[in-house]
Amino acid sequence: MSTSKRNRMSRATRRRVAWTVAGMLLLLMAALLSLALGSRQIPPAQVFDALLHGGTGDNAQVVRALRVPRTVIGVMVGLALAVAGVVMQGITRNPIAEPGVLGVSQGASLGVVCAIAFLGVHSPAGYVWFAFAGAGLAAVAAYAVAGSGRGGASPVKLALAGAAMNAFIASIVSAIVTTDARALDEFRFWDVGSIGGRDGDVVAQTWPFVLVGLLLVAVVARGLDALALGDDVARGLGHRVALLRAVGALAATVLTGVAVAVAGPIAFVGLAVPHIARALVGADHRWVLALSALLGPTVILVSDVLGRVLFAPSEVPVAVMTALLGVPFLVALVRRKATVPA
């Protein structure tokens, strides 16, 4: 290897490490803001006192009982959506793919509305399992449809099957909520997408699934680079393309299912964050996944803080804020002459 090539690789590695460290610092700052800011402003010194020394004042109670679970859920949801977005764009080779492409978000919505309308479930902790089950069944159905027939589950067939599943499930959800006013009234609070009003029980129920999803992503991370070169090249490099795509879809389904079950549907994070990460560290999926896992939670937490601060004492749900912030990004993405390939 020539000296100039080694130097270029070294510069690229240093740049990637620098952006990853910057992502860590941004996430730490976003977490501190999430703990300190809201309808009640709490000085950072009191936040650290509540976390490290077990303060007993009102501010300490607010930090530990309300804002710590909210921040942890924000980190989990942002990480899951961003990483799932990278995986979905990788296995479909579609730069505008996002975590709900297999009908996962709509499947979770169906699970929640059925739990409310038919089973009398009325709390976020109760919704989680039904949302997760609905997300999983929808993804399995979409993948089964895409995998049938000649050619298996190709990227195009995955996208088409996911679109069909989304439309079908959305019609069922609409049919239920339009004939049950009570279910509609309760469902709309979940459907708007928020990380508020959740407690430590929700975290305890869902973090193992986030871990499982991340482990599955680690298994396919190297193979995503091969898929980006095309199925034939990936096979030539020794990868089992169908298995790689199936495991990737499973990982994205688990992560998206958890995120949507906990917080409701949140747009733009899984679409926008992977593109930002690629623009900063290049197309190597291992670096893109690492940076996305840091930027996703940062976007969620900053959006949530803005929703709490800008309209205090009222709150704007995080999904609304991510949409408002995501629209300018999508406009800029469309106006660019080229995008970094997935």
Side-chain angles (χ1 to χ4, degrees):
M1 184 182 297
S2 66
T3 302
S4 62
K5 188 172 183 179
R6 283 198 299 268
N7 289 338
R8 286 196 300 272
M9 292 179 64
S10 178
R11 286 195 298 271
T13 301
R14 286 197 299 268
R15 185 183 75 252
R16 289 165 171 168
V17 170
W19 279 116
T20 302
V21 172
M24 294 178 184
L25 296 176
L26 287 173
L27 178 54
L28 289 174
M29 292 175 60
L32 179 59
L33 290 175
S34 179
L35 294 172
L37 300 181
S39 57
R40 179 196 290 259
Q41 312 297 325
I42 300 177
Q46 293 188 28
V47 171
F48 287 116
D49 180 63
L51 295 176
L52 302 177
H53 306 296
T56 57
D58 290 344
N59 285 345
Q61 293 298 322
V62 169
V63 169
R64 288 198 299 268
L66 300 178
R67 293 189 181 172
V68 167
R70 185 169 187 156
T71 301
V72 172
I73 287 172
V75 171
M76 288 172 47
V77 169
L79 183 154
L81 289 176
V83 171
V86 175
V87 174
M88 288 308 304
Q89 291 172 14
I91 66 174
T92 62
R93 295 201 301 273
N94 183 348
I96 61 171
E98 51 89 28
V101 73
L102 291 179
V104 175
S105 297
Q106 286 294 346
S109 297
L110 180 59
V112 169
V113 79
C114 288
I116 294 170
F118 306 129
L119 300 174
V121 180
H122 304 293
S123 68
Y127 299 156
V128 167
W129 297 107
F130 295 97
F132 192 75
L137 291 174
V140 169
Y143 199 86
V145 171
S148 62
R150 184 176 301 175
S154 67
V156 173
K157 290 174 70 177
L158 277 172
L160 291 175
M165 196 60 58
N166 269 316
F168 174 68
I169 296 175
S171 66
I172 297 177
V173 171
S174 297
I176 295 173
V177 297
T178 52
T179 56
D180 188 331
R182 182 184 57 81
L184 173 61
D185 189 56
E186 190 168 341
F187 173 71
R188 63 190 177 91
F189 287 104
W190 176 86
D191 192 51
V192 75
S194 173
I195 60 174
R198 279 71 170 166
D199 56 22
D201 290 340
V202 176
V203 176
Q205 290 175 5
T206 53
W207 74 261
F209 294 100
V210 176
L211 180 60
V212 170
L214 293 177
L215 291 175
L216 291 172
V217 170
V219 171
V220 302
R222 185 182 294 272
L224 292 177
D225 288 330
L227 278 182
L229 301 174
D231 289 3
D232 292 337
V233 174
R235 291 190 187 95
L237 294 173
H239 293 282
R240 298 171 64 182
V241 171
L243 179 61
L244 185 62
R245 193 164 276 132
V247 175
L250 177 61
T253 298
V254 171
L255 291 173
T256 306
V258 170
V260 177
V262 170
I266 297 177
F268 291 106
V269 176
L271 173 62
V273 169
H275 285 286
I276 296 171
R278 288 191 196 94
L280 297 176
V281 298
D284 188 319
H285 277 87
R286 286 167 293 178
W287 286 100
V288 174
L289 286 165
L291 186 57
S292 295
L294 298 170
L295 294 181
T298 301
V299 170
I300 289 289
L301 293 179
V302 170
S303 299
D304 185 52
V305 169
L306 289 175
R308 282 186 272 167
V309 171
L310 294 180
F311 302 94
S314 299
E315 291 188 6
V316 176
V318 66
V320 176
M321 295 304 301
T322 57
L324 291 174
L325 297 174
V327 167
F329 169 80
L330 288 180
V331 172
L333 183 66
V334 170
R335 289 174 60 87
R336 286 180 61 181
K337 293 182 179 179
T339 59
V340 180

